[in-house]
Amino acid sequence: SIYEMFGNECCLSTGEVIKVIGFKVNKLIASICENNEVSRFSAKVELPLNFPGLYKVVADKTPYVSIEEITRKVSIGPTRFGHPCFYSPEDIKLTNLTIKHGEQITFNSVEEINGMTAVNCGMVRNNQSHFFTLPLSQEGKFYECEDDQIYTLKEIAEWKIPKCRNRVVKLSNTLHTRDSSNPLPENFDGCLILTPVYEVQAVMKFRKDIVHILSDLDVEVKDITNCYDISSFLQPLSLEDVFERTSKEFPMAAEIMEGPSGSQNPYNLLYTGKEIIIYKKYQATRVLASEIRSDSPKRHFLIPISYKGKFKRRPREFPTAYDLEIARSEKEQLHVVATKAFDSPHKELFSVSVGDQFLVQQCQTSEVLYEGRKKLIDVLACEQILSDTYKKVLLPMYMEGGFVEVIHDKKQYQLSDICKEFRLPFNVKVSVRDLSVEEDVLAAVPGLQFEEEITDSYLLISSASSPVESWEIPVYRLNMLVHLLSKDVQTVVPPVTKTTVEEINEEQYYMVRRYENQTLHPPPRPPKKPT
């Protein structure tokens, strides 16, 4: 049988030995969903995994009948996607704990404990975490819990479609402007039923790349696993697999079996067949930055703290007086100009005109007369700058106006200094580009907003043939497969690490912010107008 896949012709000869290493969703067939059923008027459309948009997963109403069925059909793994949640309509009595009906059970990992396979689970009750195991033999009805997270289609295909089931999703955010290639109806914001089309991933005896075989290829095969030495095949590893290795196993030599797509440095150097050295794994800090512009789409970047360029400050914009309170600091006084008029409903508080300038002081409470009654409300104490004097004024914290910062600071800052001295978000522009790289992508951006610091997982690698510089590559945003080489690594100390500013697309930006913000408390809501 001869077929062509991704432009590569592959011949499966009679007697060819193939080692199947995995199954992967190749594409999705989508139908518009009405009342959890396929719409009678809906045509089926084919969606690639990189189809733009963010989606919410609709909980499957069909229960699983045992823990064994869940482990067989649902993806459970070490990454942040691999922790599905279920509930039982009946109490489950364990040795030291009774799980009450309706309580959310999180499935964390599958392990062999005392010779028996079981699932490590967790639940939260009265703000206290409880951990326990459930054996595969545990029977009952287990329903999926509602999931309030948002996902890309690729994430849903890899983690959120159970084997032998379809998945209903609701479009949460289109992210992109509509174009003629979009197969969904215009302004569509409903639910889709997704049916996966799988491909088989395999390795062959005399090939060093991954072979992708569509599941509907007409070829007969025979299972010879028990009578063949499978150790003679190459063992492909994803970057996540490499990252899960113990630290003492590094450094290691590897050959790329499937390189990442994209022309951005250094990813264009990571091609199939290239040998690399992987020195270590670690967590590294990045600053998430977005281009300042009124129209979309904006460009987004992850900037390492080691970035060697310099920045000058740019004015920030504040939509409310509450935002002024959040932004003020002890280090310097915040000076702003009003860009929108505001008429105060209380004579005790100040009415703002366009062009008024203020020095922001502090938050306090003030008594105002409201419908004949005295009431305490939160206000922002400021000094209005007049031609030859200052006037103390009070602005209501709920005031919806508009302010632009006046910058007096003309200094140039390193990124590390900004992170130490100022509170993010923070607006800047590049004043001196990073001369250690050939092309500094940030230098061409007229303005940047540093949004937050994030921590992410990286591997430090270099070329094996000419290790003159090393690069940090992101574990969870780079699709790459390698196999380890048995040769010893001569260079234990990595060469100088080259600064790489990573430009990420809009979906990756939402993913980064989503998972970073899971660990943060939401900011307090601004005060409402008194009623």
Side-chain angles (χ1 to χ4, degrees):
S1 175
I2 298 177
Y3 72 97
E4 188 173 296
M5 191 68 165
F6 305 132
N8 298 319
E9 186 181 273
C10 180
C11 178
L12 298 180
S13 308
T14 302
E16 185 96 59
V17 179
I18 303 168
K19 179 185 176 184
V20 175
I21 59 171
F23 300 91
K24 184 180 177 183
V25 178
N26 175 265
K27 58 188 175 184
L28 295 163
I29 306 299
S31 307
I32 293 176
C33 173
E34 292 178 357
N35 301 320
N36 280 339
E37 294 181 356
V38 176
S39 168
R40 288 179 299 158
F41 309 104
S42 169
K44 292 185 177 181
V45 295
E46 190 176 293
L47 298 181
L49 300 190
N50 62 355
F51 186 76
L54 293 171
Y55 304 81
K56 280 197 170 185
V57 170
V58 177
D60 194 340
K61 289 183 168 53
T62 304
Y64 294 84
V65 297
S66 68
I67 300 298
E68 186 273 334
E69 185 189 7
I70 292 175
T71 60
R72 196 163 28 86
K73 294 183 176 179
V74 178
S75 296
I76 303 170
T79 77
R80 52 202 176 196
F81 302 111
H83 302 306
C85 297
F86 296 87
Y87 70 90
S88 168
E90 299 176 354
D91 291 356
I92 301 174
K93 290 185 170 66
L94 303 176
T95 307
N96 301 317
L97 180 71
T98 297
I99 304 166
K100 297 175 183 175
H101 62 275
E103 287 189 307
Q104 180 171 299
I105 307 167
T106 302
F107 286 43
N108 293 318
S109 62
V110 180
E111 280 185 27
E112 191 168 299
I113 302 169
N114 300 326
M116 288 181 57
T117 304
V119 180
N120 288 319
C121 301
M123 58 171 280
V124 177
R125 179 187 293 165
N126 300 327
N127 294 323
Q128 187 173 355
S129 297
H130 300 271
F131 298 98
F132 51 91
T133 59
L134 289 175
L136 299 196
S137 57
Q138 180 78 45
E139 295 184 343
K141 288 185 177 180
F142 298 92
Y143 291 88
E144 273 190 336
C145 295
E146 294 293 337
D147 187 346
D148 61 356
Q149 292 297 317
I150 51 176
Y151 303 94
T152 63
L153 273 190
K154 186 173 184 294
E155 290 170 342
I156 290 170
E158 290 177 356
W159 290 97
K160 298 298 177 182
I161 300 184
K163 293 181 179 67
C164 307
R165 294 196 184 196
N166 297 331
R167 170 60 80 193
V168 179
V169 298
K170 179 170 176 55
L171 187 61
S172 174
N173 190 333
T174 55
L175 296 182
H176 293 266
T177 54
R178 180 178 175 81
D179 58 43
S180 58
S181 62
N182 190 338
L184 298 178
E186 192 167 357
N187 300 321
F188 176 74
D189 63 351
C191 290
L192 297 171
I193 296 180
L194 302 179
T195 304
V197 177
Y198 290 91
E199 68 177 33
V200 176
Q201 296 170 302
V203 287
M204 299 167 72
K205 195 70 176 284
F206 302 107
R207 291 181 62 142
K208 287 189 174 182
D209 56 347
I210 307 295
V211 180
H212 302 263
I213 307 170
L214 281 179
S215 56
D216 57 0
L217 183 70
D218 187 14
V219 59
E220 291 185 4
V221 294
K222 181 180 179 182
D223 185 359
I224 58 169
T225 306
N226 295 330
C227 55
Y228 197 87
D229 179 18
I230 59 172
S231 63
S232 60
F233 284 92
L234 298 177
Q235 177 61 46
L237 299 172
S238 67
L239 295 185
E240 291 97 323
D241 296 330
V242 175
F243 193 81
E244 286 171 21
R245 299 264 170 151
T246 60
S247 295
K248 64 183 180 182
E249 294 180 69
F250 294 86
M252 56 182 70
E255 182 179 343
I256 298 173
M257 297 184 72
E258 197 165 87
S261 57
S263 57
Q264 189 180 353
N265 258 334
Y267 309 143
N268 58 343
L269 306 174
L270 303 175
Y271 49 82
T272 300
K274 185 178 181 69
E275 292 187 9
I276 59 173
I277 299 170
I278 307 173
Y279 292 97
K280 59 180 179 177
K281 65 172 187 175
Y282 53 92
Q283 300 283 311
T285 301
R286 293 290 186 271
V287 172
L288 178 64
S290 294
E291 183 181 19
I292 299 173
R293 58 186 297 172
S294 55
D295 56 340
S296 61
K298 298 178 181 179
R299 297 171 72 187
H300 307 286
F301 306 91
L302 288 172
I303 311 172
I305 302 296
S306 60
Y307 175 81
K308 296 178 178 61
K310 290 185 177 180
F311 300 94
K312 278 190 174 180
R313 297 174 64 174
R314 278 198 57 173
R316 291 172 288 179
E317 295 183 6
F318 306 101
T320 68
Y322 177 73
D323 294 295
L324 296 177
E325 161 61 16
I326 292 175
R328 73 180 183 87
S329 72
E330 302 299 326
K331 179 176 168 37
E332 62 176 356
Q333 199 156 38
L334 183 58
H335 178 188
V336 295
V337 178
T339 58
K340 187 177 175 182
F342 170 78
D343 289 324
S344 172
H346 315 291
K347 62 181 178 59
E348 301 90 343
L349 306 181
F350 190 69
S351 292
V352 175
S353 300
V354 174
D356 285 349
Q357 296 193 43
F358 302 95
L359 295 176
V360 178
Q361 302 290 330
Q362 64 190 29
C363 174
Q364 61 187 59
T365 56
S366 178
E367 202 172 64
V368 298
L369 200 62
Y370 185 76
E371 294 182 348
R373 290 179 298 153
K374 289 184 177 180
K375 192 163 190 173
L376 274 179
I377 66 168
D378 290 326
V379 296
L380 189 64
C382 299
E383 287 185 338
Q384 184 189 12
I385 302 174
L386 302 173
S387 57
D388 55 355
T389 186
Y390 297 93
K391 176 185 175 184
K392 291 187 181 298
V393 297
L394 298 176
L395 304 180
M397 201 69 83
Y398 62 79
M399 167 188 168
E400 291 185 10
F403 302 92
V404 173
E405 183 178 22
V406 178
I407 301 291
H408 300 284
D409 181 3
K410 306 300 181 186
K411 282 173 61 179
Q412 297 186 113
Y413 291 93
Q414 299 274 10
L415 179 58
S416 56
D417 296 330
I418 291 174
C419 293
K420 287 176 193 169
E421 296 182 29
F422 299 101
R423 184 182 294 176
L424 303 186
F426 197 75
N427 293 1
V428 298
K429 66 177 178 181
V430 174
S431 56
V432 178
R433 74 175 187 86
D434 187 343
L435 299 174
S436 69
V437 294
E438 289 180 21
E439 183 186 3
D440 184 350
V441 294
L442 300 181
V445 181
L448 286 166
Q449 182 174 81
F450 295 156
E451 297 183 9
E452 60 185 315
E453 288 186 64
I454 70 156
T455 303
D456 211 349
S457 304
Y458 289 88
L459 296 171
L460 187 66
I461 70 164
S462 76
S463 168
S465 56
S466 54
V468 292
E469 60 187 19
S470 58
W471 318 292
E472 294 175 323
I473 58 172
V475 172
Y476 296 110
R477 283 186 303 281
L478 202 62
N479 291 320
M480 190 168 98
L481 290 173
V482 302
H483 73 91
L484 301 183
L485 302 174
S486 56
K487 60 176 71 173
D488 292 331
V489 176
Q490 303 298 322
T491 312
V492 178
V493 179
V496 62
T497 302
K498 190 168 184 178
T499 300
T500 304
V501 174
E502 183 186 355
E503 184 166 357
I504 58 176
N505 62 35
E506 199 167 358
E507 285 167 4
Q508 290 170 328
Y509 166 79
Y510 275 87
M511 297 307 105
V512 168
R513 295 218 68 176
R514 172 184 63 178
Y515 287 110
E516 192 66 20
N517 289 335
Q518 276 187 343
T519 60
L520 302 175
H521 296 294
R525 295 172 67 91
K528 292 182 178 179
K529 194 173 178 177
T531 55

